[in-house]
Amino acid sequence: MDTCVSGQQAQRRAYVTLVLISLFCLAPFFWVLLAAFDPKASQFLRLPDSLTLAHFHNLLTNESGVRWIMNSVVIIGSATVLTLIFAGLGGYALSRTQAWWKRPLLYAIILVRIVPPPALIVPVYKVMLTLNGWMHGFITGLTDDAALQTTLLRMFSFVDGYLGLILIYTALQLPLAIWIMKTFFDAIPKDYEEAAALDGASQWQTLRYVLIPLALPGFAAAGLFAFINAWGDFLMPLMFTSSPELQTLPLGMFRAFLRVDAIDYGFLTALAVIYTLPAVIAFAFARRFLTQTFSGGVKG
């Protein structure tokens, strides 16, 4: 009896400890959420006397918030789509091939993912700078319209342009995504492809109507990891963009915190709330597939 009571007390102490740790971890999130709606937001956690949407209105109308959001959505969204396309094709190819170089290539792919991104800044920047010079020459030779040149350079430049950041994020997220997709295609029996072939389906039809629906949990997992990792990145936009028109949300938060005058904590926390929402929404959509992923969808 004493042993049972002692065990229950230990369990209660463990629960109390977990609750205290959880409250400590959640306190910054509560502060951000409350300060975003507090007319007198400050650096200290406090209950607001009233609620206001003025910080969000200021962010979306008077500041560059809309531009930061659109830049992040365009760049990270495009990189995530490209990552899923290449990861799906590469994962399927690596899953079905039996060549001797398959295992060394898989290890080489994951080793690329292990290398920290700051170590790649200098060589990647040199490569992108060389490609950027070629792209500038091509665009300036394509048209004499200065406005059109500016627009095309902003879109397709490898340095200080959308295309460069999209390709960098795709390359950084691709190794893990390929491994995830390869593992999922390994779990799909080849009998499905053989049955589709017997029914007269082409390779493309088999991939589109049979394999992709079965591998949706893998696409959801790979897309979520790629999106969240790229969405929260600060280093690459800092290094590869210089124009204010190309700043992303992480850079916007950094600039807002380093303003010469007093820090507007209401504006900063409103920006942080908007910055957090896409990741939360993406997780909510992918949750069902992630449940399948971590409950046995990935094997071997």
Side-chain angles (χ1 to χ4, degrees), residues 91 94-95 102 106 177-186:
L94 288 172
S95 174
K102 173 181 176 179
L106 285 171
I178 287 178
W179 264 84
I180 293 174
M181 294 312 305
K182 184 263 179 190
T183 307
F184 264 88
F185 283 121
D186 284 345

Side-chain angles (χ1 to χ4, degrees), residues 82-109:
L82 284 179
T83 299
L84 290 179
I85 293 173
F86 291 130
L89 296 175
Y92 174 75
L94 288 172
S95 174
R96 294 302 186 253
T97 186
Q98 300 299 326
W100 63 269
W101 44 263
K102 173 181 176 179
R103 188 173 295 273
L105 179 60
L106 285 171
Y107 285 127
I109 290 173

Side-chain angles (χ1 to χ4, degrees), residues 120-201:
L120 304 173
I121 287 294
V122 174
V124 171
Y125 193 86
K126 292 289 290 182
V127 172
M128 301 298 276
L129 198 61
T130 302
L131 295 174
N132 198 58
W134 174 83
M135 181 61 72
H136 275 229
F138 175 77
I139 291 177
T140 53
L142 187 65
T143 178
D144 294 328
D145 189 343
L148 181 58
Q149 285 183 3
T150 302
T151 302
L152 292 176
L153 288 174
R154 185 177 301 169
M155 292 175 60
F156 297 107
S157 290
F158 290 90
V159 177
D160 200 28
Y162 288 116
L163 180 61
L165 280 177
I166 291 171
L167 294 179
I168 288 173
Y169 280 133
T170 301
L172 289 176
Q173 307 307 322
L174 197 54
L176 178 61
I178 287 178
W179 264 84
I180 293 174
M181 294 312 305
K182 184 263 179 190
T183 307
F184 264 88
F185 283 121
D186 284 345
I188 299 176
K190 294 182 180 179
D191 298 342
Y192 291 109
E193 299 173 66
E194 295 173 357
L198 289 176
D199 289 338

Side-chain angles (χ1 to χ4, degrees), residues 6-24:
S6 177
Q8 291 177 352
Q9 291 177 347
Q11 188 177 27
R12 280 196 290 267
R13 284 196 295 268
Y15 283 134
V16 170
T17 303
L18 289 175
V19 169
L20 292 176
I21 294 175
S22 300
L23 291 176
F24 177 78

Side-chain angles (χ1 to χ4, degrees), residues 121-300:
I121 287 294
V122 174
V124 171
Y125 193 86
K126 292 289 290 182
V127 172
M128 301 298 276
L129 198 61
T130 302
L131 295 174
N132 198 58
W134 174 83
M135 181 61 72
H136 275 229
F138 175 77
I139 291 177
T140 53
L142 187 65
T143 178
D144 294 328
D145 189 343
L148 181 58
Q149 285 183 3
T150 302
T151 302
L152 292 176
L153 288 174
R154 185 177 301 169
M155 292 175 60
F156 297 107
S157 290
F158 290 90
V159 177
D160 200 28
Y162 288 116
L163 180 61
L165 280 177
I166 291 171
L167 294 179
I168 288 173
Y169 280 133
T170 301
L172 289 176
Q173 307 307 322
L174 197 54
L176 178 61
I178 287 178
W179 264 84
I180 293 174
M181 294 312 305
K182 184 263 179 190
T183 307
F184 264 88
F185 283 121
D186 284 345
I188 299 176
K190 294 182 180 179
D191 298 342
Y192 291 109
E193 299 173 66
E194 295 173 357
L198 289 176
D199 289 338
S202 63
Q203 188 72 23
W204 168 248
Q205 290 174 326
T206 302
L207 186 65
R208 180 181 178 184
Y209 296 109
V210 178
L211 295 177
I212 290 180
L214 291 174
L216 277 180
F219 280 106
L224 182 63
F225 289 138
F227 179 83
I228 291 179
N229 288 336
W231 184 263
D233 182 69
F234 171 78
L235 180 62
M236 295 304 168
L238 180 66
M239 297 301 300
F240 288 92
T241 60
S242 57
S243 300
E245 295 81 8
L246 295 173
Q247 289 184 356
T248 57
L249 271 173
L251 277 182
M253 294 182 65
F254 177 68
R255 306 297 185 199
F257 191 75
L258 291 184
R259 290 183 175 180
V260 178
D261 52 355
I263 299 174
D264 186 350
Y265 286 100
F267 170 79
L268 196 60
T269 51
L271 184 60
V273 170
I274 293 178
Y275 176 62
T276 308
L277 278 178
V280 175
I281 294 172
F283 179 79
F285 276 109
R287 183 181 59 180
R288 178 168 61 90
F289 297 112
L290 290 177
T291 303
Q292 299 177 28
T293 299
F294 296 112
S295 63
V298 180
K299 301 178 182 179

